[in-house]
Amino acid sequence: MLVDRPDDLEGHRLLSRNMSALGRWQEARVAQGAVVRILGDRATADDLVEWAELMILAANGYVSPEAEAALGRALALDPTSKPGRFYSGVTLIQGGRPDLAYGLWTGLLAEGPPDAPWVATIKAGIGEVARQAGLPPPDTGAAGPGQAEIDAAAAMTPAEREGMIAGMVERLRDRLATEGGPPAQWAQLIQALGVQGRMDDAAAVWGEARAAYAADPAALATLAEAARLAGLTQ
């Protein structure tokens, strides 16, 4: 039992990894915190970012002062850390500085790689970050409506346009419920429902998505940020 071996570095590493695989973020956070404690000044940027990530996941996307401090230590050791910079962007958004987060996140999008776990979250949220910062959204390469659809929407009355958007949201929800989809699409649906003020529906979809991706930390981070942008969490 690790309770009898508080300085067992490899034991706590293994426990953190296993609890993460099970989606038991609180226990993983405690175990990774023990890893950082045992290592002391030998803790690497990766060790610290992993601890911060687990704290954030355990708090449903909220970056606590303790997590922010761990990220600060990580970036002091390695200013190029991509996951560290991603979570620093989350911290800036929550702290009311979307303009600074926009710069961090667009830089990460440009650097890639496109299959990096944080890229899907950035693509799902960068439009809202840009709106908050009063900046133009970057081209993320995401599929959007064609020109004919844009022209048709422009000719609609506000009520017709709202009806069209509601129909698109419902089609996306039906497709995800029956066929599933990547985390970015679940995040898009959560945010869309939040924009429509359908908070109960947004919360229900968030719960479905979390269950679908319970063993995927990167996907859960994507979903947690979408829930925050939708107004489900602070």
Side-chain angles (χ1 to χ4, degrees), residues 89 92-93 95-103 128-135:
L92 289 166
I93 294 166
R97 292 306 306 268
D99 53 324
L100 298 180
Y102 180 90
E128 174 62 18
V129 172
R131 186 193 67 77
Q132 292 178 15
L135 296 167

Side-chain angles (χ1 to χ4, degrees), residues 7-21:
D7 296 325
D8 182 347
L9 176 61
E10 292 309 313
H12 282 98
R13 281 196 191 279
L14 182 61
L15 179 60
S16 176
R17 194 174 302 125
N18 288 342
M19 292 300 98
S20 293

Side-chain angles (χ1 to χ4, degrees), residues 98-111:
D99 53 324
L100 298 180
Y102 180 90
L104 270 179
W105 277 13
T106 52
L108 287 168
L109 281 178
E111 292 174 30

